[in-house]
Amino acid sequence: MSGHSRHLPADERRAATVEAVVDLAAEQNPSDITTTAIAQRMGLTQGALFRHFPTKDAILQAVMSWVTERLMARVDKAAEGATSPLAALEAIFKTHIDFVAEHTGVPRMLFGELQRPGETLPKQMVQTLTRQYGERLRRLLEAGKARSELHSELDVDAAVVLFIGTIQGLVMQSLLAGDVARIRRDAPAVFAIYLRGITHTR
Amino acid sequence: MSGHSRHLPADERRAATVEAVVDLAAEQNPSDITTTAIAQRMGLTQGALFRHFPTKDAILQAVMSWVTERLMARVDKAAEGATSPLAALEAIFKTHIDFVAEHTGVPRMLFGELQRPGETLPKQMVQTLTRQYGERLRRLLEAGKARSELHSELDVDAAVVLFIGTIQGLVMQSLLAGDVARIRRDAPAVFAIYLRGITHTR
DNA sequence: TAAACTAGTAATAGATTACTCACTTTTTGG
DNA sequence: CCAAAAAGTGAGTAATCTATTACTAGTTTA
């Protein structure tokens, strides 16, 4: 092949589309991303997108699928190496923060999808993702209680909600400051408070 | 006056407009609220809105102003009655949760405004609100440290971020479950973890 | 090499959006 | 009580958004 092949195979275009959406979501309100903006970012005309996806929702669906795979794979890998439930929780948190710092638009997209009325497919995928994620956390928290790493009266469901809220709070803080780097910088101190809230009395 | 007076004075219409937006925000994605939907909710035609507001952003601005006044007034009042910084924090949290439970759309609106690119006036008002709010919290947290109600190594800024994240997490949870009542129900357990995270060693 | 397939363009349809304006109805003050 | 001001109507406009379609140019395949 000699140089610029304008035509790419379908699966590569689909992957590039997802990437374009994730990138755009970092720069603007995710719910304001238009098919024109996506195509422009990819160097295509708007109509070309609909060769690979039947609807815009199908694009969002592909993005959610991408997020679920990548995030869960990284989280699972991080938890694997840990020697205790508590260490696993901390590793997951760090991994999640890294993921969010790399793709600032993603948590905002998820939150945005959840706000849509009705039962759209992308929304259902977010619900599935958080259910899976919450289940992982719940197991670790239960295990931590069994080992007395966590305090005995800990409400596990509440701890799951606060774990996610911790990240959500950091995202909001970075929006307020207009500074994405804040997420990584402030994460340790915020997690320290969370940890103190769930661990066994010292 | 014998019954249905169709024309209302301007200030009452402005107040009714804000109320309509807040109500609508509870039912749908705040960033998808149209001027048509607002007018319909008020029993007016869409054009009538622009007798009282020059632009849609001016409406949002009025909503943000309403939120700031109401929320800060309630928060201040709640803190007044408290006998200690820690008690004040808990009272503020409870009050904030009550406010959010009554107006589920509000926190989602604020978050949505923060995501808009550029420096819109409504966005700046949200930033001002959270700055004021954060300042109140910071003072209380510092006072709590001085009294040794909170542990001495506590990172106050992180505690502020997590305080807001706690509420944000509860909002997200209610979206996931599609059940607004969850916020009130789950709030105490979540706050208990937060409290344990910031208080002096037992 | 001809036929079929794949990936793209450019134009445009159809819906929705915020906003405007000429005109009508209601309220109000001298 | 009546004229002016305030409030509301309803039709329309320009812009924008998703999706469709007729058509073109490369690439496989038979």
Side-chain angles (χ1 to χ4, degrees):
Chain A
M1 55 184 86
S2 63
H4 44 66
S5 61
R6 281 183 168 70
H7 288 36
L8 283 184
D11 51 345
E12 289 182 33
R13 270 293 181 235
R14 288 178 58 96
T17 306
V18 168
E19 204 180 323
V21 172
V22 171
D23 285 356
L24 284 169
E27 300 165 16
Q28 59 177 279
N29 189 341
S31 69
D32 287 350
I33 295 174
T34 65
T35 52
T36 305
I38 299 169
Q40 191 175 351
R41 173 68 51 115
M42 301 170 69
L44 289 180
T45 56
Q46 185 249 4
L49 278 185
F50 292 88
R51 292 277 155 208
H52 304 292
F53 298 93
T55 67
K56 189 189 177 186
D57 250 28
I59 297 177
L60 298 180
Q61 186 184 329
V63 173
M64 294 308 150
S65 182
W66 180 91
V67 169
T68 301
E69 282 171 30
R70 306 277 274 226
L71 180 60
M72 290 310 279
R74 282 170 70 161
V75 156
D76 282 344
K77 197 175 168 188
E80 256 177 32
T83 58
S84 77
L86 207 59
L89 280 172
E90 184 150 13
I92 289 177
F93 184 82
K94 274 196 162 67
T95 306
H96 197 151
I97 289 294
D98 281 343
F99 187 86
V100 165
E102 285 169 33
H103 313 290
T104 330
V106 167
R108 305 207 318 268
M109 269 192 88
L110 301 197
F111 195 76
E113 284 301 320
L114 286 178
Q115 299 194 53
R116 292 173 52 171
E119 285 305 315
T120 67
L121 224 80
K123 180 177 176 179
Q124 287 178 335
M125 295 182 72
V126 175
Q127 290 172 324
T128 303
L129 165 59
T130 49
R131 204 179 312 121
Q132 279 178 25
Y133 193 87
E135 204 42 58
R136 298 262 204 298
L137 293 178
R138 208 166 288 114
R139 268 210 302 275
L140 285 170
L141 288 163
E142 294 287 8
K145 276 178 76 169
R147 287 209 202 181
S148 295
E149 283 182 351
L150 307 183
H151 80 263
S152 51
E153 302 90 4
L154 179 67
D155 185 322
V156 171
D157 288 323
V160 169
V161 170
L162 191 52
F163 188 97
I164 290 166
T166 302
I167 294 163
Q168 202 72 11
L170 285 164
V171 170
M172 186 155 184
Q173 179 66 17
S174 76
L175 282 175
L176 278 166
D179 176 13
V180 184
R182 270 195 91 97
I183 292 183
R184 262 211 186 82
R185 177 158 22 102
D186 296 346
V190 176
F191 189 70
I193 299 176
Y194 176 74
L195 212 60
R196 191 182 164 95
I198 63 173
T199 48
H200 190 271
T201 310
R202 295 148 292 277
Chain B
M1 56 185 84
S2 66
H4 42 67
S5 61
R6 280 180 169 73
H7 287 37
L8 282 186
D11 51 345
E12 290 182 33
R13 272 290 182 237
R14 287 179 59 95
T17 306
V18 167
E19 203 181 322
V21 172
V22 170
D23 285 355
L24 284 169
E27 301 164 16
Q28 60 178 281
N29 189 339
S31 69
D32 287 350
I33 295 175
T34 66
T35 52
T36 305
I38 299 169
Q40 192 176 352
R41 173 65 52 114
M42 301 170 69
L44 289 181
T45 57
Q46 186 245 9
L49 277 186
F50 292 87
R51 292 274 157 209
H52 305 290
F53 298 92
T55 65
K56 189 187 176 186
D57 251 26
I59 297 177
L60 297 180
Q61 186 185 328
V63 173
M64 294 308 151
S65 182
W66 180 92
V67 169
T68 301
E69 282 170 33
R70 305 278 273 226
L71 180 60
M72 291 310 278
R74 281 170 71 162
V75 156
D76 282 343
K77 196 173 169 189
E80 256 177 35
T83 58
S84 77
L86 207 59
L89 281 172
E90 182 149 12
I92 289 177
F93 184 81
K94 275 197 160 66
T95 306
H96 197 150
I97 288 295
D98 280 343
F99 187 86
V100 165
E102 284 169 34
H103 312 290
T104 330
V106 168
R108 305 206 319 266
M109 268 193 91
L110 301 197
F111 194 77
E113 285 301 319
L114 287 178
Q115 299 194 53
R116 291 173 53 171
E119 285 305 316
T120 67
L121 224 81
K123 180 178 175 179
Q124 288 178 335
M125 297 183 70
V126 175
Q127 290 173 323
T128 302
L129 165 60
T130 49
R131 205 180 313 119
Q132 279 178 25
Y133 193 88
E135 204 42 59
R136 296 265 203 299
L137 293 177
R138 207 167 288 112
R139 269 210 302 276
L140 285 170
L141 288 162
E142 295 286 8
K145 277 177 77 167
R147 287 210 203 181
S148 294
E149 283 181 352
L150 308 183
H151 79 265
S152 50
E153 302 92 3
L154 178 67
D155 184 323
V156 170
D157 289 322
V160 170
V161 171
L162 192 51
F163 188 97
I164 290 165
T166 302
I167 293 162
Q168 201 74 11
L170 285 164
V171 170
M172 187 157 183
Q173 179 66 18
S174 76
L175 283 175
L176 278 166
D179 176 14
V180 185
R182 270 194 91 96
I183 292 184
R184 262 211 186 83
R185 177 154 25 101
D186 296 346
V190 176
F191 188 70
I193 299 176
Y194 176 75
L195 211 61
R196 191 184 164 95
I198 63 172
T199 48
H200 190 271
T201 310
R202 294 146 295 277

